[in-house]
Amino acid sequence: MYDTNLEAVKASGLLSDASVWSETVMDVINSTNDRRQLRQTYASMLVYSDLEDQSAIWEDIKDYFSSDFLNAARLTDYNEEIYLDALDDIQQQVLNCGGGSITQYGLPASRGGARPSNLLRRERAYNKTALKESVEEKVKLLNSGQRGVYEHVMHRIENGHRYGHNGVFVNAAGGTGKSFLLNLLLDTVRSRGKIALAVASSGIAATVLSGGRTAHNMFKIPLMEFDETKACSVKKNTELAKLLQQTELIVWDEVVMANKNMLTAVDITLRDIMDNDEFMGGKVFVCAGDFRQILPVIRNGGKEQELAHCIKSSYMWEGLAKMQLTENVRLKKDDVKNSKFAKQLLTIGSRESGEIYFGRGFGVRATSREELGYKV
């Protein structure tokens, strides 16, 4: 005689066969797409079975247990956060069945707290192991200029920062490996399980960054006339505010194109969200661009208005550490023609060229509109 039905069933040896439980789980998977029901069944097994290794089923089919959370987060690859979502739910189901912590059944620990938002989950969805391996290989490829910027930024992240020292501007002409460097910084922070946000002033530039978005989209920057200054549309206690609070690094590419009022809006918003008066709320802020390229576009404005609204005219310019990439990493040493052309472009952009000459082979010649249209 036993005090409970469970003890009697266990004593009869009816719960000792792991294959029975595996078949039960597969029956649920094959009969329904309801993953919550699957987790409920598994929770009952954890509490009522006497399997020696109750975690084996979890390890074998944890993707099935977690697939609804993957879809809800709009992700394509499973990661630790998605599995924790499933473990949180299993833990709750186990408690409902009268059980204890799922760790006593051999499973990994659940969070034991509130689930992160989808915004946080997406920014934490990177494969840390793969990123660490990639970072180790890419760091070896840095030239001296890139390495100087990389070590400078990582030192600020690892050792704290204060106003005037947590912002960096990287002046980089085309071909100097700017995108490679910025993505390496992002990957390094993300490989450590931290959050790094990547934004750019245009959609095309954003696609070059890993996880990149436009600055307007990320920070909810309002549309402004060139002489306006507004805060971003981010309220405290929202998912986006919580994401920004936990962010370690912000990378902004093609910042030269941005109206300085956009940067001011982000600065004001981050100070408010972080409840401090530090530049960008105390976040390590890395921006990059090339003043040889496009300045802010001002409707009906001329050169003076463009210069007055670029980042150099912002109060934050003096607080940014200025660093520069000069080595062109795209050109092969034996590519004399392209190397000569690249150097010519740089001298034009730097106003060092004097008179500009183009060889006979430059461009495509046409003798009529029809021929021009055809050749274009």
Side-chain angles (χ1 to χ4, degrees), residues 85 116 197 204-205 256 376:
D85 287 340
L197 301 181
I204 295 297
V256 171
V376 168

Side-chain angles (χ1 to χ4, degrees), residues 216 219-224 230-233 262 265:
H216 276 91
F219 299 117
K220 309 304 177 188
I221 301 173
L223 296 177
M224 297 179 282
K230 299 179 181 178
C232 300
S233 303
M262 292 171 55

Side-chain angles (χ1 to χ4, degrees), residues 308-344:
H309 288 83
C310 75
I311 188 173
K312 277 194 174 183
S313 299
S314 170
Y315 64 86
M316 64 182 65
W317 180 249
E318 293 302 321
L320 295 173
K322 318 302 188 299
M323 307 193 76
Q324 191 165 6
L325 300 180
T326 56
E327 183 179 341
N328 196 310
V329 298
R330 287 183 188 166
L331 301 176
K332 298 179 181 178
K333 293 182 179 180
D334 58 350
D335 193 346
V336 178
K337 182 179 179 181
N338 282 336
S339 179
K340 182 178 179 180
F341 180 61
K343 291 178 181 177
Q344 184 182 27

Side-chain angles (χ1 to χ4, degrees), residues 118-294:
N118 285 338
L119 277 174
L120 280 168
R121 187 178 290 107
R122 279 196 290 272
E123 293 300 332
R124 290 175 175 170
Y126 299 94
N127 186 320
K128 292 193 286 292
T129 302
L131 284 178
K132 286 178 182 178
E133 295 175 355
S134 175
V135 167
E136 289 175 359
E137 293 300 318
K138 290 180 179 178
V139 166
K140 301 174 184 177
L141 303 177
L142 295 173
N143 58 39
S144 58
Q146 293 170 325
R147 185 174 296 277
V149 177
Y150 178 80
E151 293 178 350
H152 180 88
V153 174
M154 294 311 303
H155 177 77
R156 296 184 186 282
I157 292 174
E158 295 165 355
N159 297 285
H161 40 267
R162 56 190 175 84
Y163 179 77
H165 291 273
N166 61 333
V168 178
F169 173 77
V170 182
N171 188 1
T176 54
K178 174 190 65 177
S179 298
F180 179 82
L181 172 63
L182 296 182
N183 279 318
L184 181 56
L185 287 169
L186 293 166
D187 288 348
T188 303
V189 174
R190 290 165 177 166
S191 71
R192 300 177 180 183
K194 305 296 184 180
I195 294 175
L197 301 181
V199 303
S201 298
S202 70
I204 295 297
T207 63
V208 181
L209 298 176
S210 174
R213 295 157 67 181
T214 64
H216 276 91
N217 180 274
M218 174 65 76
F219 299 117
K220 309 304 177 188
I221 301 173
L223 296 177
M224 297 179 282
E225 293 297 330
F226 70 90
D227 57 349
E228 284 185 304
T229 301
K230 299 179 181 178
C232 300
S233 303
V234 183
K235 296 181 179 179
K236 288 186 177 181
N237 299 321
T238 61
E239 290 188 2
L240 179 54
K242 293 175 182 177
L243 171 66
L244 294 174
Q245 287 170 348
Q246 297 183 41
T247 296
E248 290 281 327
L249 170 68
I250 296 173
V251 169
W252 189 324
D253 195 11
E254 302 298 354
V255 74
V256 171
M257 296 174 58
N259 189 311
K260 67 178 183 180
N261 294 337
M262 292 171 55
L263 296 160
T264 301
V266 175
D267 184 28
I268 292 172
T269 301
L270 287 173
R271 292 181 193 225
D272 178 55
I273 289 174
M274 298 304 298
D275 286 323
N276 63 42
D277 198 34
E278 296 183 50
F279 172 62
M280 291 296 177
K283 306 297 179 184
V284 175
F285 178 73
V286 177
C287 55
D290 181 8
F291 286 102
R292 301 175 184 87
Q293 299 180 12
I294 300 173

Side-chain angles (χ1 to χ4, degrees), residues 6 9-10 12-18 21 48-51:
L6 174 61
V9 173
K10 285 185 176 181
S12 300
L14 299 178
L15 301 181
S16 60
D17 190 353
W21 293 109
Y48 298 124
S49 75
D50 61 350
L51 297 177

